Amino acid sequence: MVRAPKGTHDVLWPASSRWEALVAAFAGRARRAGFGLTITPMFEDARLFRRGIGGQSDVVNKEMYEFTDRDNRPLALRPEGTAPVVRAFVQHHPPVPWKAWYVTPAFRYEQPQAGRYRQHHQLGVEVLGTEDPDLDVEVIALAAGFYADLGLREIDLAVNSMGCAEDRPRYIAALSEFLAEHASELCDEHSERYGVNPLRVLDCKRPECRAVTELAPRLVDFLDEACAAHLARVRSGLDALGIVHRLEPRLVRGLDYYTRTTFEFSATALETAQNAVGGGGRYDGLAEAIGGDPTPGIGFGIGIERLLMACDAEGCFAALPHPPHAFVIDLTGGEQARDLVDELRRAGLTALRAYDGRSLKSQLKQADRSGARYAVMIGAEELAAGVVTVRPLREAGGEKTEQETVARPEITARLRELTGEG
RNA sequence: GUGGCCGUAGCUCAGUUGGUUAGAGCGCCAGGUUGUGGCCCUGGAGGUCGGGGGUUCAAGUCCCCUCGGUCACCCCA
């Protein structure tokens, strides 16, 4: 049997109704903050990601789905959402500040595990054209507010600053020196390889490394005046908006383009290893790195699958059913149902029907299963008399009502009245 | 890329030291009720036992390989 590729999954109805609601909630928040939906290609010139994300990152180095098309163009399925949006900005130079939101699949060749897939989906925003720290606050507040909209309470927000191009080399030098002195205390993985990318060691979760990095020099102590002031303004802004967060000097995100503000949201209710439900930061050098004018930018990505896992863990954001208004039952051959569902739908009602000329019992069973509030029955008697029978299928407001006979021309109006859709 | 655990019906699972024609519950279909759903009863459909190879008189069961799922490392959403 042909199955979905490893690490991918289907989201079938009705489970997908949660996705609809999730995206709608995010779109609403984004729209209110001045963001517009942005759609960019699912695949890009592979060089965009190499230059943008960075050649030494794992994402580019060993996780990209790369291929060449029939004209030998080097292409890659997008492993993340930021670089393509920044590319679109550079290509079209819209007026700044440019605020874009997106929802997109992302592809990474990984070993699947809880909360990690080869195709996952992200919601995100990007803003190009300003380095105002109040914007950082606004962007973080957007994500935080969205989590709250879903009913999530157990969200940890870690914030750090990666400094700028001047700060970073000074810090990396100091960190390397420190790690060299403590190399023997690091975990097996890093004791000999800390030099490749010293910042990575800060990310290591092994107790040995944690113990060492606990005492390591902190990037925040190496910030120049402007970067320090920027971070301070971001933090005071978060405080002012009541957004609880903590400074995490070891927060080093795996994509190379980050500068200054970085942040990560974790769902502490998740007991799985992958509990980061959103992350992002500033990337003031990215536009230039991919060939555009120097333009500051900031954004975040939120993983939909992990977010829903977090909602499950907290028991919030349950799927809401969408019960149909009516289920049309036709015992006379189907023409009546064909015409009536069309009429009801034109009137704005949700109308379903059965097919294949099933028995009354079978059709009523389907009507019941559909969750419809009313069955509209048309048999030989109704057809001859020019009426339909409207049968309530569930108690509305605790009140039990009897089925009634309605003149055929009146049925749409009657159903609108009964369902309160008038 | 590495390691642990697991693959039997659409779903959740049972299947004895290898031994007739592989089962249950739920779901689906039909009938009981030739025009009344849910509850109940009866019946039915549905399986290359993940795939391939091997051992054996005999393999769902044992062995090898492989694919997939799952969890973890790495890293990220």
Side-chain angles (χ1 to χ4, degrees):
Chain A
M1 190 196 356
V2 178
R3 306 172 42 95
K6 179 171 182 164
T8 70
H9 55 104
D10 303 310
V11 183
L12 267 42
W13 177 90
S16 56
S17 66
R18 271 180 114 194
W19 284 60
E20 286 185 87
L22 189 85
V23 173
F26 187 79
R29 276 235 165 229
R31 195 184 323 109
R32 293 197 293 280
F35 289 80
L37 175 63
T38 300
I39 299 167
T40 62
M42 216 73 79
F43 57 89
E44 295 270 0
D45 189 316
R47 292 170 293 191
L48 169 65
F49 300 113
R50 286 218 194 77
R51 288 180 201 158
I53 300 174
Q56 52 176 296
S57 68
D58 283 1
V59 168
V60 167
N61 207 22
K62 50 185 190 184
E63 294 177 358
M64 276 216 291
Y65 275 92
E66 295 189 75
F67 60 98
T68 54
D69 67 9
R70 291 170 185 275
D71 291 321
N72 275 317
R73 296 183 183 88
L75 300 171
L77 260 30
R78 57 158 45 151
E80 54 102 48
T82 299
V85 172
V86 174
R87 192 226 83 228
F89 171 83
V90 167
Q91 183 175 333
H92 302 285
H93 39 267
V96 296
W98 187 58
K99 295 173 132 184
W101 77 272
Y102 60 82
V103 52
T104 180
F107 307 88
R108 295 178 197 170
Y109 189 84
E110 314 208 51
Q111 288 308 315
Q113 72 185 74
R116 203 172 64 183
Y117 310 97
R118 290 189 171 178
Q119 178 179 340
H120 75 279
H121 300 79
Q122 292 190 20
L123 294 161
V125 303
E126 310 294 344
V127 186
L128 276 298
T130 172
E131 53 183 11
D132 189 330
D134 286 356
L135 174 66
D136 300 39
V137 174
E138 188 176 310
V139 163
I140 293 171
L142 171 52
F146 174 56
Y147 295 129
D149 287 345
L150 303 183
L152 289 169
R153 302 190 55 80
E154 298 175 49
I155 297 291
D156 172 76
L157 169 57
V159 175
N160 193 22
S161 175
M162 299 293 290
C164 55
E166 288 77 47
D167 308 332
R168 198 105 50 104
R170 289 191 293 124
Y171 174 67
I172 289 176
L175 179 62
S176 298
E177 190 178 338
F178 176 85
L179 292 176
E181 290 166 13
H182 297 270
S184 61
E185 302 161 42
L186 297 170
C187 72
D188 296 344
E189 174 94 17
H190 289 114
S191 59
E192 293 181 0
R193 299 185 35 132
Y194 61 88
V196 177
N197 187 349
L199 295 177
R200 281 292 166 69
V201 182
L202 297 179
D203 229 2
C204 185
K205 290 171 195 153
R206 293 183 216 272
E208 309 93 279
C209 280
R210 298 298 283 185
V212 172
T213 55
E214 194 81 46
L215 305 169
R218 310 191 317 163
L219 181 41
V220 286
D221 296 325
F222 284 73
L223 300 179
D224 65 23
E225 202 175 322
C227 288
H230 194 274
L231 176 61
R233 173 82 180 191
V234 170
R235 298 198 64 198
S236 64
L238 292 174
D239 290 339
L241 298 187
I243 296 171
V244 178
H245 67 284
R246 60 188 175 81
L247 180 68
E248 173 48 76
R250 285 179 293 187
L251 176 60
V252 177
R253 301 183 45 77
L255 310 181
D256 293 350
Y257 52 59
Y258 286 115
T259 55
R260 292 193 167 177
T261 311
T262 54
F263 54 92
E264 192 165 280
F265 293 92
S266 299
T268 51
L270 283 177
E271 292 176 358
T272 51
Q274 314 301 331
N275 70 348
V277 292
R282 195 159 262 296
Y283 41 83
D284 293 341
L286 180 53
E288 189 176 9
I290 62 173
D293 296 331
T295 310
I298 181 173
F300 65 72
I302 290 176
I304 294 181
E305 287 84 353
R306 285 188 196 171
L307 195 54
L308 290 174
M309 286 170 59
C311 288
D312 290 340
E314 289 202 40
C316 64
F317 198 63
L320 295 175
H322 306 283
H325 296 110
F327 193 103
V328 177
I329 292 172
D330 183 351
L331 301 172
T332 68
E335 291 92 342
Q336 299 302 312
R338 178 194 65 203
D339 297 346
L340 184 50
V341 293
D342 187 68
E343 178 180 327
L344 295 173
R345 290 167 189 167
R346 284 171 190 268
L349 295 169
T350 305
L352 277 57
R353 56 162 294 188
Y355 304 93
D356 303 317
R358 306 271 196 127
S359 68
L360 171 64
K361 174 174 179 167
S362 170
Q363 293 193 50
L364 261 172
K365 203 167 186 164
Q366 286 186 43
D368 184 53
R369 268 205 306 264
S370 77
R373 293 167 64 183
Y374 295 92
V376 178
M377 299 186 282
I378 307 171
E381 293 171 20
E382 284 92 344
L383 189 55
V387 298
V388 300
T389 298
V390 177
R391 177 178 176 79
L393 293 177
R394 27 197 45 84
E395 300 175 24
E399 214 169 309
K400 213 167 188 175
T401 48
E402 297 299 312
Q403 66 184 35
E404 58 185 275
T405 301
V406 178
R408 176 63 184 79
E410 305 299 323
I411 182 57
T412 294
R414 181 58 181 148
L415 277 173
R416 287 171 67 93
E417 188 181 349
L418 283 169
T419 58
E421 298 288 327

